[in-house]
Amino acid sequence: MGKNVVVIGAQWGDEGKGKIIDLLTEKTSNVVRFQGGHNAGHTIVVKDEKTILHIIPSGVLHDNIECLIGNGVVLSITALLKEIATLKKNNIDILSRLAISPSCILILPYHIAIDKAHEEMLGKNAIGTTCNGIGPAYEDKVARRGLRVGDLLHSEYFANKLEEVANYHNFILNNYYKAKTIDYKKVLDEIMDQAKIIKNNITDVTNKIYQKIENNENILFEGAQGALLDIDQGTYPYVTSSNTISGGVNTGSGVGIANIDYVLSIVKTYTTRVGAGPFPTELVYDVASDKGDSIGKELGIKGCEFGATTGRQRRCGWLDIVALNHSFRINSVTGICLTKLDVLDNLNTIKICVAYEINGKITKTMPYSIQDFNKIKPIYIDIEGWKTSTIGINSFDLLPTKAKKYIEKISDLTNLPIDIISTGPERNQTIIINHPFN
Ligand code: GDP
Ligand code: IMO
Ligand code: MG
C-alpha cells in the first residue's frame, strides 16, 4: 500500500517546509500543492545553492518528481512562468512533469491592484499581505465569479467573462479605492499568450491522485503558510485567505480525509511571523533602527529571518506551546519535525511559553478573538542552553545532552513524537528518527 503524507506549517509560516518536503521526496515520485498561491516562499538549499519556490511544488529539484498543483491553489500564470524560467536557467525542466488542476482560480492583475489598494487604505491597520492578490482571488472564488485555469481552454467564454469581471473590479478600483483601473484587453492578450505555454499541463489532478492511490504509490502533500494563518482557525483577521490546516488537503486536492496516513507538522524551535497581527511571545526588535530585544535580534540574524517572498523582516519570539497545541489538534498531527535547532546554539537560557494569562486568569487554550489575543501575557518555563554548535548534526545521539532535553521537553509538552530534527538549511543537515513514509 502507498502512503499519503501531508506536511503543514504549525506556526505563522516559514517553519522550513520547503527543505523538509524536498528531503521527503526521496520516498515518493510526486508532490501536490493544495492551497495558497505565490504568497508562499519555500527555500531549498543544495550544496550552498539556494532555490526559492513560490508556486511550484518543492519536489522539483529531483528530476523524477511529478509536480501537481491542486484545485485549492490560486494561480498567477505570470508568477508560474517566471518560476519556470528561473528553474530553466538552472537546467531544471518542469513543464514535462507539471500537472495543473483546471479548477484552480486564476490570480489576475485586478486582484493584485485591489490587494495593494486595500492594504493602502487600511494604513496602520493593514494586514501586511504579500500584495500578490491572494485574498481578492479567493474572494472571487467564493463569490462564484472567479475565472479558472480550465476556462482558458474556452477562449470565447474566457474573453466574455473576463470583460464582465474586470468591469466589476474596475468599478471598485475607480470608485471605492480611487486607484488606477486595469485594461481588460491587455490582460486578455497577455493571458491568452501565456496559456499557450501551459495548455498541455492542464490535467484533472484529483483523478491523477486517485490513480496513484490505486497504483499503491506514495503521495506527498505540501502545505503552504502555517496553521495560525488559517482563514478559519488562525488569528483572524490577521490571516491568509485559505485553509492552511491539514484539512485543506481534502478540499484543495480532492483526496478524501480517510486517505491520509500521516500529518507531519513542521515546527521552528522558536516562532516567527511576517506581517501584522498578534504574537504573544514576540521579542520585539526593529532592524531599521537596530532597536529592541537583543535575543529577538539574535534569532533574526542567526536564523536569516527575512521573507523569502517579500524580503520583509520576520518578527521573532519564543516557542509558544499554547498556540502549538491548538495547531496540533486542528491538524490531526501524527509527528513533529523540529527545525532550526542550530539557531538556538548560542543562547544561555531558552524560554518556552506554556500558558497564557488573560485578564488575570491562567489558560492553556488559545483565545479566538483578536481582542483577547491582544491581552495575552505569556507564562514561560526556562530551559538551559547548550552553548555549543549543533549545525549539521545528523544523529540524535550526537546532540548535546541539553539540546536533547529541550527536544524531549517539547515532546512532553505536546504529547507528540519528534520524528525529524533539522540542524541546518541543507538536505543532509537533518536527523531522521522516524520517516513519515516508513
Ligand atoms: P517555508 O516557507 O516553511 O518553506 O520556510 P522558508 O524557506 O520561508 O524559511 C525557512 C528558512 O530557514 C530558509 O531560509 C531555510 O533555508 C532555512 N532553514 C530551514 N531549516 C533550517 C535549519 O534547520 N537551520 C537553519 N539554520 N536554517 C534552516
Ligand atoms: P510560507 O508558505 C509567512 C502572511 C503575510 C500576511 C498574511 C496575509 O512561505 O510559509 P496574503 O498575501 O497571504 O494575503 O498575506 O499571511 N503570509 C505568510 N507568512 N509565510 C508564508 O508562506 C506566508 N504567506 C502569507 O505576511 O501576514
Ligand atoms: Mg516561507
Side-chain angles (χ1 to χ4, degrees):
M1 276 265 284
K3 251 183 137 177
N4 297 325
V5 173
V6 185
V7 175
I8 53 101
Q11 295 150 318
W12 282 288
D14 304 326
E15 297 87 353
K17 299 175 291 293
K19 168 192 159 157
I20 300 301
I21 287 155
D22 167 77
L23 184 78
L24 297 181
T25 51
E26 65 187 8
K27 296 204 189 228
T28 176
S29 58
N30 56 75
V31 182
V32 187
R33 273 280 305 263
F34 56 89
Q35 45 71 228
H38 64 297
N39 47 351
H42 297 177
T43 314
I44 303 166
V45 183
V46 184
K47 296 194 181 98
D48 279 339
E49 198 171 318
K50 194 191 246 192
T51 306
I52 299 175
L53 298 163
H54 301 288
I55 194 71
I56 293 175
S58 298
V60 66
L61 299 191
H62 302 263
D63 51 19
N64 56 330
I65 295 286
E66 195 179 357
C67 294
L68 289 82
I69 298 181
N71 58 277
V73 168
V74 282
L75 188 67
S76 156
I77 310 255
T78 306
L80 175 71
L81 293 180
K82 199 169 145 201
E83 205 159 303
I84 290 174
T86 309
L87 288 166
K88 201 165 184 179
K89 269 195 215 141
N90 296 326
N91 293 318
I92 297 162
D93 173 49
I94 162 80
L95 276 175
S96 58
R97 52 198 172 96
L98 176 69
I100 307 169
S101 165
S103 306
C104 291
I105 294 287
L106 288 167
I107 298 180
L108 291 159
Y110 42 73
H111 295 130
I112 295 166
I114 288 173
D115 199 350
K116 286 181 182 154
H118 193 65
E119 284 284 282
E120 249 166 58
M121 184 178 265
L122 287 174
K124 68 174 184 17
N125 295 323
I127 304 292
T129 73
T130 57
C131 287
N132 283 340
I134 309 295
Y138 278 115
E139 282 177 46
D140 268 8
K141 173 176 170 167
V142 293
R144 293 166 293 190
R145 74 171 96 83
L147 281 145
R148 309 210 290 182
V149 166
D151 295 336
L152 290 165
L153 302 174
H154 309 278
S155 48
E156 206 184 312
Y157 170 84
F158 190 92
N160 290 334
K161 179 105 195 227
L162 181 69
E163 183 172 15
E164 186 189 313
V165 183
N167 280 340
Y168 171 84
H169 287 305
N170 277 337
F171 180 83
I172 291 166
L173 278 168
N174 187 32
N175 294 287
Y176 184 68
Y177 292 115
K178 314 281 178 231
K180 251 177 80 181
T181 55
I182 298 293
D183 178 349
Y184 122 84
K185 281 222 172 71
K186 227 173 104 188
V187 174
L188 181 65
D189 290 346
E190 189 181 28
I191 191 135
M192 279 307 169
D193 271 349
Q194 294 174 330
K196 287 179 199 147
I197 307 173
I198 53 113
K199 208 171 69 193
N200 295 330
N201 299 87
I202 304 176
T203 319
D204 184 338
V205 167
T206 302
N207 191 38
K208 236 177 195 294
I209 288 171
Y210 281 96
Q211 278 169 5
K212 289 179 190 297
I213 291 174
E214 275 168 30
N215 294 339
N216 293 322
E217 287 178 46
N218 288 337
I219 310 178
L220 181 55
F221 294 92
E222 173 176 7
Q225 289 82 52
L228 304 176
L229 286 170
D230 183 274
I231 183 77
D232 288 285
Q233 295 289 345
T235 48
Y236 192 89
Y238 296 95
V239 291
T240 190
S241 299
S242 65
N243 284 113
T244 58
I245 61 173
S246 60
V249 78
N250 180 213
T251 52
S253 78
V255 70
I257 44 173
N259 283 312
I260 299 304
D261 300 289
Y262 184 111
V263 178
L264 180 68
S265 171
I266 314 289
V267 178
K268 209 181 281 201
T269 48
Y270 49 99
T271 313
T272 62
R273 168 158 213 171
V274 213
F279 183 173
T281 61
E282 181 173 10
L283 299 163
V284 181
Y285 167 74
D286 174 54
V287 167
S289 61
D290 189 25
K291 286 212 171 83
D293 189 279
S294 63
I295 295 177
K297 175 179 178 175
E298 176 171 345
L299 293 174
I301 291 173
K302 190 132 198 274
C304 301
E305 297 297 356
F306 292 89
T309 296
T310 55
R312 289 177 293 173
Q313 178 195 353
R314 293 176 183 153
R315 300 153 65 192
C316 299
W318 297 117
L319 195 70
D320 182 345
I321 294 290
V322 180
L324 281 176
N325 278 337
H326 167 69
S327 181
F328 296 151
R329 275 194 197 168
I330 59 179
N331 282 292
S332 278
V333 168
T334 318
I336 294 174
C337 164
L338 210 52
T339 61
K340 305 190 95 159
L341 184 72
D342 55 293
V343 176
L344 306 184
D345 282 349
N346 297 336
L347 299 178
N348 290 319
T349 306
I350 300 164
K351 288 184 184 291
I352 301 180
C353 167
V354 291
Y356 294 157
E357 186 189 318
I358 304 174
N359 292 331
K361 286 205 184 103
I362 308 289
T363 176
K364 290 190 173 182
T365 306
M366 202 165 167
Y368 53 82
S369 78
I370 192 76
Q371 291 79 8
D372 281 345
F373 273 126
N374 290 332
K375 290 184 205 147
I376 292 172
K377 287 187 196 146
I379 295 170
Y380 292 107
I381 55 166
D382 286 354
I383 308 277
E384 228 184 306
W386 44 92
K387 304 277 286 172
T388 168
S389 172
T390 60
I391 291 179
I393 291 183
N394 54 14
S395 142
F396 190 79
D397 293 341
L398 297 177
L399 285 174
T401 309
K402 285 176 183 163
K404 285 184 190 160
K405 275 201 178 143
Y406 178 69
I407 294 163
E408 280 155 7
K409 188 76 198 172
I410 295 170
S411 182
D412 285 349
L413 290 168
T414 59
N415 220 358
L416 281 168
I418 312 291
D419 284 341
I420 302 176
I421 300 158
S422 175
T423 56
E426 297 258 357
R427 277 177 189 160
N428 57 358
Q429 298 178 311
T430 316
I431 302 169
I432 301 186
I433 297 163
N434 176 34
H435 200 295
F437 280 113
N438 282 352

